[in-house]
Structure formats: C-alpha cells, structure tokens
Amino acid sequence: MTAKIIDGKALAEKVRGRIADEVAALKVKGITPGLAVVLVGDDPASQVYVRNKVAACEKVGMKSVMHRMPATASEAELLSVVQTLNNDATIHGILVQLPLPKQIDEKKVLEAIAVDKDVDGFHAENVGALTIGEPRFVSCTPAGCMEMLADIGMKDLRGKHAVVVGRSNIVGKPMALLLLHANATVTICHSGTKDLAAITRQADILVAAVGRPRFIKGNMIKSDAVVLDVGINRLPIEQGGGLVGDVDFESAKEVASYITPVPGGVGPMTITMLLQNTLVAARAADY
Ligand code: GUN
C-alpha cells in the first residue's frame, strides 16, 4: 500500500484563509497584528526562513518588521533591540531567529522576550505553561504537527503509541508534551537510544525531528503508521542539492498509512502556527 500524503501546503492555505479573515476583523477595531522578526548574521537557511515568515505575514494582512543585525552584533545590542520591541505597542509578536552567533547567549535572549509577545513559545514561562497542560504560546512546529493530525481525524490519541525521535527544545520536547496531552502514550528517542528501530517500529505515530537526511527508513516504520517528517535537510550539490526530510520518503511511503512530504509538509504549517500565535497575541491587546 502507498501512504496518503498529508498536504501541509493545502492545510496551511485553508488555515491562513481563516487567519486572514480574523486579521481583517481586528483591523476594523483599529488593531493590526504586528510581528517583528530579528535575524542576526547571514546564515543562508535562516535568511530563507525569515523571508518566508515575513511574506506570510503580509499575505494575511499582518504588519511585519524585519530587523537585520550583523553576525558580529553583541549580546547587549540584541537585548536592546528586543527591549525596544517589547515596549512597542504596534508589535504583538517577537521572533529572534535561531541559531544565534556564538558570542550571544541564546537562553538570555529568549528569556528577554516579553512572555505575552513570545510567539515562538520558547520562553521558559510558556514552556512551563505547556508542561502543566495550560498552553499559551506553543512552539510552532509541534503545534503545526498536531493540526495535521487533527486534520486526518486524529485528535484524541488514546491508545496510540507516539514515538518522537529528537529531543530539542524547539520540536522534540514540546511535541512529546502535546502528544501526551492528547492522551497518546509517548516515547522520546535520541542519539543515546539503544536499538532505535525496535522502538520506532512500535509507533502508531512517528515524528522524526533529528536533523539527519533520510535517517528513518521504511524498515523502521510499523505498517500503517502515521509519519510526520519535521526534517529540512539540504543535500550536498553532488547529491542533487535538493531538500529532503529526516525520513526516507520513498521507502517510508510503502509502509505508512499517512506521511508528510518534504517540502510541502510540516514546513508550511510551522509558519501558519506563527501567524496564529501572532493573531492570538494581537487579540489579547484588544482591550
Ligand atoms: N530556527 C529554526 N526553527 C526556528 C523557529 O521555529 N523559531 C526560531 N526563532 N528560530 C528557528
């Protein structure tokens, strides 16, 4: 059997249409949701991500402001930009693109972002809220994955075994928490996991977030599993230079019941959740 493709682009279009309507309604009340994106340095992948985020904002009628800082920017300079944005009433969401240059303490910067403008959901307070089951702003990629599951009718995951491969603060950990809150039985695997395939083969829902191209092969996947591929890896030029996920799509699609493609799967939903979080932040300013 060949898996059904979960079309993240189509789902993103649908959700963004709804967001655009809600932005228009807020504008009537005199509030234009505003997102500030801060990019430090010139990492090519980050530049593409940031450009896509800014374009997506404009398409749904939100204001977006881009702050570019040189790779040599100091921590104090970045903290000062964050502080200015915290105090700017026209900005409802702040996103500092990661990774940051090594002279800057990432944790310090993320904690400096006002909790109610933390549309990335990276601030410890927002992470804590998610942990206790009272989510406010949730990290966009895992939130997008949950929307994709809901869209294929998998909202309550009682009785399902979900396996998350990867334990990052941005994806793996919040993903596991969201799956747990949806009543799944959750296993988190990582680079120190012994006999990974024996665990991934138990997954009814398999989330791959390891950052290694085509790492999860079809023979590591249970028949009829739902596979969400969070990876975005650029292949070397000698291998074609294209984008591939953490899942070996060709072999995985022969085993899974549903699978997300790369590109066009989780990626568009990540940006959509950023828009959604910015809308929520702007609505909270409607007093
Ligand atoms: N770098 C890679 N993914 C993300 C993300 O979701 N947010 C931010 N701020 N940086 C990232």
Side-chain angles (χ1 to χ4, degrees):
M1 198 193 89
T2 302
K4 291 196 181 82
I5 306 294
I6 306 179
D7 186 343
K9 219 171 148 196
L11 180 59
E13 280 294 316
K14 193 168 85 180
V15 179
R16 287 183 203 191
R18 201 165 62 219
I19 292 171
D21 290 345
E22 294 183 36
V23 169
L26 263 186
K27 279 182 165 172
V28 171
K29 294 180 172 184
I31 298 167
T32 300
L35 174 72
V37 179
V38 184
L39 175 62
V40 187
D42 38 34
D43 175 69
S46 290
Q47 287 186 46
V48 174
Y49 295 148
V50 162
R51 210 178 309 131
N52 289 343
K53 288 169 185 175
V54 168
C57 272
E58 282 160 12
K59 208 151 170 225
V60 296
M62 291 183 182
K63 166 182 152 169
S64 66
V65 185
M66 164 94 150
H67 286 265
R68 293 201 65 154
M69 302 179 73
T72 52
S74 70
E75 186 178 286
E77 284 167 328
L78 178 54
L79 287 172
S80 163
V81 168
V82 168
Q83 213 44 255
T84 303
L85 295 169
N86 281 345
N87 295 328
D88 183 341
T90 68
I91 295 297
H92 305 98
I94 302 170
L95 179 149
V96 177
Q97 186 67 24
L98 304 178
L100 290 169
K102 54 186 178 316
Q103 73 274 16
I104 299 176
D105 181 346
E106 195 169 285
K107 187 165 165 281
K108 230 185 207 169
V109 173
L110 296 179
E111 297 306 303
I113 295 171
V115 180
D116 53 358
K117 296 190 178 188
D118 171 37
V119 287
D120 254 333
F122 293 169
H123 192 289
E125 217 172 301
N126 283 320
V127 174
L130 172 63
T131 307
I132 62 167
E134 291 174 14
R136 296 198 294 242
F137 292 119
V138 176
S139 182
C140 300
T141 298
C145 287
M146 295 307 285
E147 289 287 321
M148 295 175 108
L149 287 176
D151 193 56
I152 57 165
M154 299 185 75
K155 217 169 171 140
D156 189 338
L157 306 177
R158 200 172 299 265
K160 305 283 185 203
H161 186 185
V163 174
V164 180
V165 189
R167 56 174 157 180
S168 68
N169 289 335
I170 295 182
V171 182
K173 285 183 211 165
M175 186 76 234
L177 285 165
L178 288 170
L179 290 162
L180 187 62
H181 295 325
N183 299 315
T185 301
V186 182
T187 303
I188 307 177
C189 301
H190 48 79
S191 52
T193 298
K194 202 171 130 187
D195 200 358
L196 176 68
I199 299 172
T200 57
R201 271 189 224 114
Q202 295 174 33
D204 301 304
I205 299 162
L206 181 61
V207 183
V210 274
R212 291 169 70 172
R214 298 177 177 142
F215 181 68
I216 305 285
K217 313 283 186 211
N219 63 7
M220 299 168 74
I221 299 170
K222 178 168 143 180
S223 177
D224 284 343
V226 174
V227 178
L228 303 177
D229 188 353
V230 172
I232 303 177
N233 307 289
R234 182 154 304 275
L235 290 175
I237 296 294
E238 55 275 21
Q239 286 177 42
L243 286 184
V244 296
D246 291 349
V247 176
D248 179 40
F249 186 81
E250 288 308 312
S251 60
K253 78 176 195 322
E254 299 305 322
V255 189
S257 59
Y258 285 92
I259 189 167
T260 60
V262 177
V266 174
M269 282 309 290
T270 295
I271 298 186
T272 304
M273 293 300 100
L274 175 67
L275 301 175
Q276 172 73 29
N277 282 348
T278 305
L279 175 67
V280 168
R283 259 208 224 108
D286 177 21
Y287 37 74

